[in-house]
Amino acid sequence: MDFEISHEQRMLVDTVRGFIKDELAPLEQQVEDSGVLDDATAHAIFEKSSSLGLYGMNIPEQFGGGGLSCLDQMMCEEQFGHTTDILIRRAFGNVYEVLLSCTGAQVDRWLTPAVKGDRVCSIAFTEPGAGSDAAGIKTRAVRKGDKWVLNGMKHYISDGAFSDFFVVTAVTDPEKGHRGISMFLVDKGTPGFSLGRDQQMMGIRGTSHLDLHFDDVELTDANLLGTEGEGLKLALSVLGRVRLAQVSARAVGKSTKILGLTLDYARDRVQFGQPIGDFQMVQQMLADSAMEINATRTALWQTANKIDRGLDPRADISALKVQGGELLDRVVDRAVQIFGGMGFSKDLPIERYYRDARIYRIFDGASEVHRSVVAKTLLKGATDLYDPWSN
Ligand SMILES: Cc1cc2nc3c(=O)[nH]c(=O)nc-3n(C[C@H](O)[C@H](O)[C@H](O)COP(=O)(O)OP(=O)(O)OC[C@H]3O[C@@H](n4cnc5c(N)ncnc54)[C@H](O)[C@@H]3O)c2cc1C
């Protein structure tokens, strides 16, 4: 096991870090204030990042992506955590690995344009009656001759306003429960498919969260992603890496950035004639944040390494989903405390980080759901989750 950061990894991370600092960070406040990232700026960011090869880095090279290993991707994703969701999406792309299941003509229609950034994709699984219980969806696709007819609705769909197409789950065989769910690729503009309201959220301003409505939308087998009835199985097999990247790694990055700002403040802010960082109770908060960040990053790299070795560490990913979300929650909460009134004030971005952090314990599976995956895996006898010497 080698924990040394290679020269190539250093260069990659420095490039991403520099791009975020120079090109994205200056835009954060205006997006926060206006609630939108205008199309011209979005396009300019995309042009710059893709010219540096920074778009779609997670996708294998044979499909036009950057071909990063999982570990290298996590190192980049940690840096992505230093900026906001919408700027990450436009600069680096959220090119979901589930699209690698495209076959035949689907590759040119959906996968390749997504990797190039010509077309943007969103994932549409959640419904008002089915969040944590992804198998409880009501959206239905019924086969009629050589067509599928799709009816139902989705909500909270991130980036829905900007996206060109959607990966949509639908029940294709109600008798078969979770084995009767399939995935479809649905283009914006397909007759019967309409965009609903943009759900206003506590944080991550600039990213839209749309309702989607499907009213007798006609699709064909060309729209079916993967095998009929295996939509949830496919989702489970590919979304782990997405969680690790978009939640755990970004949470480590956000926590790192926030702790850096907090340390600066603790050194500079003087009360009772001394920097507040000299107070032991403040020191405890700083030390706890640093120790927890390091522990989570180490676990993240270990899990990424397992993926790179061809393993399928689902319970480790669930553990990291919980650890990342809850790490960020604690680190940003301590930051608000140490910044005092300035932590609560809109004069500084700390209050924004606090609001943006809260969703990390909920989306991509709530902490409770992932904890129960960990516990059930342990109870089945998976001792390697906490004891590497057990196998
Ligand atoms: C900002 C944002 C962006 C999102 N983006 C997308 C997107 O792009 N695409 C998409 O498809 N979805 C998206 N979602 C949906 C998101 O993944 C769900 O909100 C999440 O899975 C939880 O579902 P729910 O909100 O319906 O909560 P519920 O399922 O109603 O759960 C509520 C609470 O109940 C508890 N709970 C639920 N199940 C269990 C259990 N088994 N054990 C113990 N406790 C449990 C947990 O505390 C949980 O937080 C997004 C949501 C938000 C808020």
Side-chain angles (χ1 to χ4, degrees):
M1 201 182 310
D2 183 2
F3 281 98
E4 196 177 348
I5 295 168
S6 71
H7 177 63
E8 289 73 21
Q9 287 169 333
R10 178 93 253 172
M11 287 208 322
L12 176 67
V13 167
D14 283 350
T15 306
V16 171
R17 202 179 175 98
F19 188 85
I20 290 172
K21 183 167 166 280
D22 298 339
E23 306 290 343
L24 305 184
L27 299 170
E28 284 180 18
Q29 197 55 45
Q30 85 187 46
V31 174
E32 180 66 17
D33 294 341
S34 66
V36 287
L37 175 66
D38 66 85
D39 286 353
T41 311
H43 187 69
I45 293 169
F46 164 71
E47 289 287 326
K48 280 185 198 160
S49 67
S50 55
S51 71
L52 292 170
L54 300 179
Y55 197 89
M57 289 186 287
N58 55 316
I59 300 295
E61 281 173 350
Q62 73 256 39
F63 301 109
L68 292 188
S69 68
C70 187
L71 179 58
D72 291 352
Q73 184 195 352
M74 294 311 139
M75 291 177 175
C76 292
E77 290 279 353
E78 180 185 331
Q79 301 308 312
F80 295 177
H82 287 227
T83 191
T84 64
D85 180 77
I86 192 62
L87 293 168
I88 299 167
R89 285 174 187 273
R90 294 294 84 85
F92 309 112
N94 262 18
V95 189
Y96 295 100
E97 281 94 356
V98 71
L99 294 177
L100 296 173
S101 302
C102 283
T103 55
Q106 292 179 330
V107 172
D108 286 344
R109 188 168 167 193
W110 287 295
L111 172 60
T112 309
V115 180
K116 285 185 182 165
D118 293 339
R119 304 188 77 200
V120 171
C121 169
S122 281
I123 293 285
F125 295 174
T126 305
E127 302 179 3
S132 304
D133 181 12
I137 57 168
K138 295 279 180 277
T139 295
R140 183 89 164 86
V142 177
R143 197 183 265 290
K144 287 197 177 150
D146 59 353
K147 297 253 187 328
W148 288 100
V149 180
L150 185 69
N151 279 288
M153 84 156 296
K154 302 286 177 181
H155 77 164
Y156 300 160
I157 307 311
S158 298
D159 214 15
F162 197 85
S163 288
D164 301 288
F165 69 95
F166 299 81
V167 177
V168 179
T169 48
V171 176
T172 44
D173 187 343
E175 305 296 313
K176 291 192 177 158
H178 66 273
R179 289 197 186 82
I181 291 176
S182 306
M183 271 192 206
F184 292 89
L185 295 153
V186 185
D187 287 322
K188 196 179 265 182
T190 307
F193 173 26
S194 56
L195 306 181
R197 70 169 177 159
D198 182 354
Q199 173 82 59
Q200 296 304 297
M201 297 290 182
M202 177 196 281
I204 46 177
R205 274 168 69 74
T207 304
S208 57
H209 297 98
L210 290 199
D211 289 356
L212 308 180
H213 299 276
F214 306 100
D215 188 10
D216 286 335
V217 177
E218 286 193 355
L219 306 171
T220 68
D221 279 340
N223 299 84
L224 184 67
L225 183 63
T227 310
E228 182 182 336
E230 297 205 347
L232 277 193
K233 194 172 156 196
L234 179 59
L236 279 176
S237 68
V238 293
L239 289 184
R241 185 162 167 170
V242 176
R243 283 194 180 114
L244 206 60
Q246 298 188 5
V247 179
S248 314
R250 289 185 196 173
V252 169
K254 285 188 187 304
S255 303
T256 305
K257 176 178 175 170
I258 291 165
L259 177 58
L261 295 170
T262 313
L263 284 164
D264 289 343
Y265 193 78
R267 283 188 205 99
D268 292 347
R269 173 72 176 164
V270 172
Q271 287 294 281
F272 301 98
Q274 63 187 83
I276 59 170
D278 285 355
F279 296 118
Q280 285 187 350
M281 278 185 268
V282 171
Q283 289 177 354
Q284 178 173 358
M285 289 192 269
L286 296 170
D288 284 351
S289 290
M291 293 186 294
E292 291 167 17
I293 290 169
N294 254 343
T296 309
R297 185 186 290 106
T298 307
L300 173 71
W301 288 3
Q302 188 186 32
T303 301
N305 176 269
K306 282 188 183 174
I307 294 175
D308 284 333
R309 284 187 285 130
L311 303 174
D312 184 12
R314 287 186 199 184
D316 302 63
I317 291 170
S318 281
L320 254 311
K321 165 67 181 65
V322 177
Q323 283 170 268
E326 298 189 0
L327 165 79
L328 177 57
D329 210 44
R330 289 190 300 274
V331 171
V332 76
D333 185 73
R334 291 177 191 132
V336 172
Q337 195 66 21
I338 292 170
F339 274 82
M342 286 310 292
F344 196 68
S345 153
K346 283 193 181 286
D347 281 1
L348 291 182
I350 304 299
E351 66 83 29
R352 164 161 64 88
Y353 301 150
Y354 184 81
R355 285 185 286 107
D356 287 353
R358 190 59 184 85
I359 190 58
Y360 279 66
R361 284 169 52 200
I362 299 171
F363 63 11
D364 270 314
S367 283
E368 293 76 12
V369 173
H370 285 292
R371 266 203 175 81
S372 58
V373 171
V374 174
K376 283 175 189 160
T377 311
L378 287 170
L379 290 166
K380 279 184 196 154
T383 46
D384 59 315
L385 263 176
Y386 64 96
D387 179 7
W389 312 111
S390 58
N391 286 329

